Amino acid sequence: MSKIKAKYDVIIIGAGSSAYACSIRCAQLGLKTLCVDNLDTNTSSGAFCNAGNVGMITLLESAKLYDTLLNDIDSHGIFAENVSLNLPKMILHKNKILDEINHNVIKIFAEYKIDFINSKASLIAPKIIELSSAHSPSQQIHAKYIILATESIPITIPCTPIDNEFILDSTAALNLTKLPKRLAILGAGVIGLELAAIWNRLGAETTLLEAQETFLGLSDNQISRQAYQIFTEQGLELRLGARVISTKIINKKVLIEYQDADGTHAIRVDKLIVASGRKPNSESLSAPEADLLLDENGYVHVNENCKTNLPGVYAIGDLTLHGPMLSHKGMAEGVFVAEHIAGIGSSSINYNIIPNVIYTEPEIAWIGQTEQALKAIGDRINIGIFPLSINHQPKSVINANGMVKVIACANTDTILGVHIIGCHASELIAQAVLAMEFSASSEDIARIIHSHPSSAEALREAALVIKNKGLNS
Ligand code: NAD
């Protein structure tokens, strides 16, 4: 065992989006920073950036272009003949984008003089990590602060052993170079729905098997109902209350058994994608003698400043139970912790105001509370809904389905939640984030002049409806 002389202020374990944001902010604040991760540099998915998210968005965009050319463009007076799919090229395009992002991160790290070591690392005591690699002797490195940012990994379930040939995890599901005729996806959560939006639009007959009886239980019920209807109309087969209990590979097909209220059923598909949720990547993050406090599900215990139970050790991103498993939440924590360590004391993170986005077609985005949650606690609320089919801007784009729903407190008019399904929802929600961060009322939004025609004015229209002043409804 060799020791590297202490020379770092901060060591960040992990190289995902939280670690990336944290490393850069630490370096900007003059802290000598080391980032360590065990990356598979032979593949684009073993990358610095959040390869899953970027890969997903890139393929979603490709699938949307393909589907639009095939099915939706004629009404614009554009006729595309002989449209065909070159899947290997589409995957290559996605990997090229991931490589570009990787190179960019390497360049930025070099500019900020952030050191990077490609190795497995674990915390062995406060301020000490140990690097272990198959090719070199293990070594220890000291730093004043250690930030744990190893994010999350897919939850595996015994009845769906991943072989990445027939039963795929969500990473392999972004690298298929041959279109499956019949595809099943276990789990209709965010990842399952986004993967379904890719493969269904590229032409695979796609069935989602979801154990829960409710569809998109975390989002507003009215939005989930509309999403269910739109996705079903798009040809997605959504089986709710369907728990997968066994799988077998027979003659190069996957035989899936699932149980629902009517009993046990079987379907045969070419591929099964498992999107059964994610868990914190904390299994070999610390040695037992380090005494890092985890809960029974592997989440690292942290206080409101992202500090663990060990002095000088912080945890950010998907590793903690604070807020949802979202890259932007982890990135905000990364910046916060860097500033906390540097003593410039930025205000703590408002976990109540974190936008959620599902990049399906149409997109779904929300912030704040749902109608059902507010009613359950007996809050008096006013609701304004604006259907996007009335909005002038979405009319000119291809998919005009959807709605914007604004929920405000009946007493103070403060906005408590905004829920959107429709094109540009991921962009439109940013207005609501800003409004809620500044405790705006629905009247504030209604009084702001928006450009016309634009998708953005749909939020104002929904706010106007709350005061019965809607211009278009
Ligand atoms: P999820 O928990 O949202 O969904 C997993 C689903 O699998 C659940 O609904 C569960 O009921 C179902 N399931 C589990 N076992 C099953 C079985 N045997 N049979 C049938 N269904 C079964 O998890 P996810 O979609 O994998 O996402 C994981 C996390 O990553 C989430 O917290 C999500 O917010 C986050 N994430 C978000 C984004 C985004 O915001 N765009 C993108 C990627 C990941």
Side-chain angles (χ1 to χ4, degrees), residues 53 56 152 157 159 186-192 194 209-212 242-245 275-278 318 324-326 328 356-359:
N53 272 1
M56 185 86 88
S152 59
I157 40 182
C159 65
L186 181 156
V190 178
I191 296 179
E194 290 180 347
L209 298 168
E210 169 53 57
Q212 304 283 333
R243 178 173 296 279
V244 174
I245 51 166
S276 53
R278 297 181 70 81
D318 294 359
M325 275 189 180
L326 297 170
H328 41 279
N356 284 273
V357 178
I358 309 180
Y359 293 92

